[in-house]
Each structure stands twice: as C-alpha cells, then as structure tokens.
Amino acid sequence: MIPYMIMTFLYFLVAVIAALAASFASWQIMPWFNGMVWLRVHFITLGILTQLVFGVMPILSAKHYGLPRPKMRWDIWLSLNAGIALLLIGIPLVSSVPIITGGTLVFIATALLLVQMAGIRAQSEKVSAITNGRKFYIAGLSYFLVGILVGTGLFTNWSGPLGIVGDAGEVHIHANNWGFMSLVFIGFFVDLYPKWAKRPLSNPKAITPIFWMMTTGALALILSPWFANTTLAAIGALLHTSANIWLLVIAIKPLRGDKPAWTPGMAQMLISYLWLFAPLSMAPFVIFGIESVLPAKLLEATTPQALIYGWLLQFGYAIVPYFFHRFFFDEETAELGGSWLSFWLVNVGAVFLWASILIQPVRGLLHGGAYMLWVASFIPVGIDLWKMVQKGMAKAETAVARPA
Ligand code: HEM
C-alpha cells in the first residue's frame, strides 16, 4: 500500500502548484500561462484519488471476507503509474502515441484490478450475506473502463468509431464521476462508516436498492450524451440524485443530535455532495441551452472544476489522511482527516467559482479567488499528510533495518 500512498502524496503536492498557477493566470499575474485544465483536474482525479482507491479496495474487501491481506500487485501499480506518466506527457502535447499508450496502460491496470476484485470472494454463505462495498467497487471500476476508453479517444478521434453522437467529453466526465467515483465512495461508506462514525448506517436494507439506482442512473447518464438523448439524462439524474440523497439520509440520521460526531472529516464528506448535486441541478439549462437565464456554455465549461474541487477533493480531504493513518500505522480506528479550516476554505472556494460563472464583471477575480482559496485549503491537510509520510516511512525503514 505504501507505493500508492507515496504517489498520492506526490500528486497532492503538484495539485497545489497547478491550482496556484490557475489562480495567478486568472488574476493576470502570469498572463502568459493559461494553466491547463486537464492537468489540474487529473492531478486530483487520477493522481490522488484513483491512486488511493486502487490501493485500498482489494485490502478492504479481503478484510471484510476474513481473507489474508492481498500482496502488493506491482503489475497494477506499475501499469497505472506508467500510464499516468505517459498521459501527463501526451495530453499537454496532444500527441497520440503517449496518449494512446498511457490510456491503454491505465485501462490494463483497471482490468487487472477488476479481475483481482472479482477473485476476492466470501468463503461462506454467512459472510457473503453481510452487505459490503465490493459490488460498488466492481461496478465503479467497470464504468472507469468506459471513462478511460472515451477519455483516451477524446484527442485521438475515437468518438466517431465508438458511435458517440453527442458530447464525448461529457460521456467521459459522467462515466468517471457519476459512475466510477460515485460508486466507489458509496462502497467506502458501506465498508467504513461504522468505523468513522462508531455506529452503523441507519438502514442497511437501503444499500442494495441504492446500488441498483446508482448503477442504472450512472448508465443512463453515460448513454445520454453518448446517444444525445435528453430523456435518458432526466432518468439518470433522477435515479442518481435519489440514490445519493438516500445514502446521505442513512448516514446523517445516526448523527442527529450528536454534535461531537460531526467531526471536520465527517462534515467534509457529507457536505461535499452539495457540489455533486449543483451541476446536476443546472443540467436543464445546459441540455436545453437556456442562455437567457444562465450562461449555459460557460456553465458547461466551468462546473466540472467545481465538481472536482468541491466534491472529489473535499471528500479526499477526509479519506486520504484516514487511509494514510490506517496503513502507515496499522490503525483501523484512525480518524477521518480534514480540518474546519480546510472545510471553510474549500467550500467558500467552490462558492467563488460558481459566482465567477454568474457575475461577469468580476469573473477573473472570482475565478482566481476560488483557486487561491483551494490552494489554502490544501495546506492543513498537506501538513498532516507530510507528517504521516515522514513518521510512516521512518517506521517502515526501521522495520526493514531491524535484523530478523
Ligand atoms: C486514463 C484516464 C483518463 C484520461 C485518458 C482522461 C482524459 C481526459 C481528456 C482528454 C479530457 C478533455 C480535456 C479538455 O477538453 O481539455 C478530460 C477531461 C476531464 N476528465 Fe478525464 N481522463 C482520465 C481520467 C479521469 C478521471 C479518473 C476523472 C474523474 C474521476 C476524470 C474527469 C475529467 C473531467 C471532470 C474533465 C473535464 C475537465 C474540464 O474541462 O474542466 N478524468 N479527461
């Protein structure tokens, strides 16, 4: 697990620099630097979160089934990280060979992990009956394969041969966010909420219907831009949002009236879903292009950033430190990460970015302000992670050095 955590921390650092550059570019401090959106979005999505979830999913499922902890799969780690490195070269250069090779390697890493997850099975009926996150991880990884295929094809003209008649960029975003990440995050809630909240989710019977609503909702939201079919978008948005709201209800209910249970980590995880719902609520304006009320084109171009920073990054502020603590120090009872400072900075940042869409005269100022607030929100979490990397690696090296 350590190689995944080291790469996660590395990308955490470069994500800070990318956000800083984006802020300076919007404030015309570095007018010559346009701050590539792809880099700052994928340092978070691929570099931080995909990295971490690839490491933890097999360990959590094996643990649930009482199986020995799976050995480190270097083939998966190597193909994932070689793939990301080649994409970091190919996408900014819009060069097909590194893009296709990189995308193919990430696809192979995901397929290998999917096979590994499918092989982690209950050894008895009794255990398999207990609800766990495995099916969410497997469904999420399946949608990620679609997201990788379409993403790799965006700059290499695969959309036509794939039969995509609508917006291929949207197919990619939907497969990776409404599919991959949404499903994996619910898998984490199912497997880890009892540890995080020190009490069970309020209604375990809701997990299976939530799984099917989320999986079919994500499918409809992927096929909608694929076939330019707005009915599918409406069905998908309804199923997906209802499933997420149901999840939030069974996660918030057990915390009601218990103030100490609302730790910064728990608050960041639950509140982050506001920034998942926000773009979905704007969908009608984008789908029907109602420019008279809201700048639909700008909405479409900008809201993915608020989704990635407001939802994915904020959720990451809670779970990344939790997994670092758990796996560097072998403490299952580790606390969720994040702080009230990062909570306010990341959410005010997301408000600034949305305001930059709506308030034209100060758009650049607000857009730059959003990124500066997000840069500041990284710092308390970054310091926490750095301390854990230092102590965790010292502990690992001492263990290696100690004579058998
Ligand atoms: C192998 C993996 C991936 C590849 C090859 C890939 C490729 C791409 C490409 C080519 C774009 C278009 C950039 C542009 O138009 O400037 C894009 C945009 C995007 N991707 Fe990915 N991507 C990958 C993984 C992911 C993951 C895991 C996520 C999220 C969980 C993600 C979320 C996004 C978002 C939100 C955008 C829109 C960015 C914006 O325009 O603001 N991608 N991706």
Side-chain angles (χ1 to χ4, degrees), residues 36-38 41-42 45-46 50 87 91 99 102-103 106-107 144 147-148 150-155 169 172-173 176-177 180-181 300-305 307-308 312:
M36 211 183 156
V37 173
W38 190 88
V41 161
H42 294 80
T45 58
L46 276 175
T50 302
L87 288 171
I91 299 244
I99 292 178
V106 177
F107 193 94
F144 186 29
I148 298 167
V150 176
T152 307
L154 280 173
F155 287 1
H172 172 71
I173 296 173
N176 288 326
N177 291 286
F180 177 37
M181 290 296 174
E300 197 171 11
T302 314
T303 50
Q305 295 162 56
L307 176 74
I308 299 303
L312 284 190

Side-chain angles (χ1 to χ4, degrees), residues 1 55-64 69-70 120 326-327:
M1 184 59 202
V56 299
M57 288 193 283
I59 299 176
L60 293 179
S61 293
K63 174 103 187 139
H64 173 80
R69 179 168 160 160
I120 299 176
R326 176 168 172 168
F327 293 115

Side-chain angles (χ1 to χ4, degrees), residues 24 27 55 62 64 66 68 107 129 140 142 161-162 167 199 203 266 308 312 340 348 350 397:
F24 286 174
W27 283 349
H64 173 80
F107 193 94
S142 311
L162 286 170
D167 181 336
R199 69 209 69 192
N203 172 11
M266 189 59 80
I308 299 303
L312 284 190
W340 287 118
V348 175
E397 279 157 7

